[in-house]
């Protein structure tokens, strides 16, 4: 055979020494995917509704069309609210996520001010109802956390109600 081992020499003596320019070996990567840890708000349902702050009702039981003044005399502040089974520290996070994903016009706080006045005509035999308040956005969902190993865990469920616009509406009805 052509393979001969020199007397007293092992195979390790023939190994090539690493050069100085070779990069050090990279540490062994953990098996599996890697993710950036973060929270996610998943919105499962959304709807818009109106919350009335004040109403003014005017009647016309005369024989002619009359002109009357509608005015509101209450100033009220309304803040967003988050209810459900999530931590209080996540309320601002939920508000920001719903604002970004559902309705960019959401406000943390909105005020309906007194002093609104308007002159309206009411036909004979009708009742006019004027309402002032907020258009609200409601979003329901849950918050979950994604860990560095891409596993997730639900942190809780939420219902957010937030104002996004004030309104004044008029409706008439026959007496």
């Amino acid at each position: 055979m052509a393979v001969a081992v020199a007397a007293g020499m092992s195979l390790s003596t023939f190994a090539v020494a690493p050069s100085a320019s070779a990069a050090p070996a990279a540490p062994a990567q953990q098996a599996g995917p890697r993710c950036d840890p973060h929270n996610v708000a998943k919105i499962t349902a959304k709807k818009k509704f109106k919350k009335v702050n004040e109403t003014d009702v005017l009647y016309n039981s005369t024989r002619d069309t009359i002109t009357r003044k509608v005015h509101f005399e209450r100033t009220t502040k309304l803040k967003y609210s988050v209810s459900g089974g999530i931590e209080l520290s996540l309320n601002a996070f939920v508000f920001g996520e719903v604002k970004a994903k559902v309705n960019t016009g959401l406000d943390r706080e909105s005020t309906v001010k007194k002093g609104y006045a308007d002159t309206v005509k009411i036909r004979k035999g009708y009742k006019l109802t004027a309402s002032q308040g907020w258009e609200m956005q409601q979003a329901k969902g849950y918050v979950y956390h994604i860990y560095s190993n891409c596993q997730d865990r639900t942190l809780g469920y939420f219902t957010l109600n937030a104002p996004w616009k004030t309104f004044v509406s008029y409706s008439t009805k026959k007496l």
Side-chain angles (χ1 to χ4, degrees), residues 73-148:
E73 299 186 5
R74 251 194 319 193
T75 297
T76 308
K77 282 186 179 181
L78 181 68
K79 293 183 178 183
Y80 79 95
S81 66
V82 179
S83 59
I86 63 168
E87 297 176 19
L88 290 176
S89 62
L90 292 173
N91 286 357
F93 169 74
V94 167
F95 177 82
E97 288 291 303
V98 171
K99 184 173 182 170
K101 293 178 181 176
V102 176
N103 189 343
T104 58
L106 291 182
D107 292 323
R108 290 184 184 275
E109 183 177 289
S110 180
T111 303
V112 170
K113 297 184 178 185
K114 72 177 183 176
Y116 175 87
D118 193 10
T119 304
V120 294
K121 291 185 177 184
I122 307 169
R123 299 186 322 191
K124 64 179 181 175
Y126 276 82
K127 165 178 97 168
L128 179 120
T129 304
S131 302
Q132 180 183 34
W134 298 274
E135 290 191 31
M136 303 286 289
Q137 177 73 59
Q138 183 181 76
K140 294 182 179 185
Y142 59 94
V143 176
Y144 62 95
H145 182 77
I146 297 179
Y147 292 96
S148 60

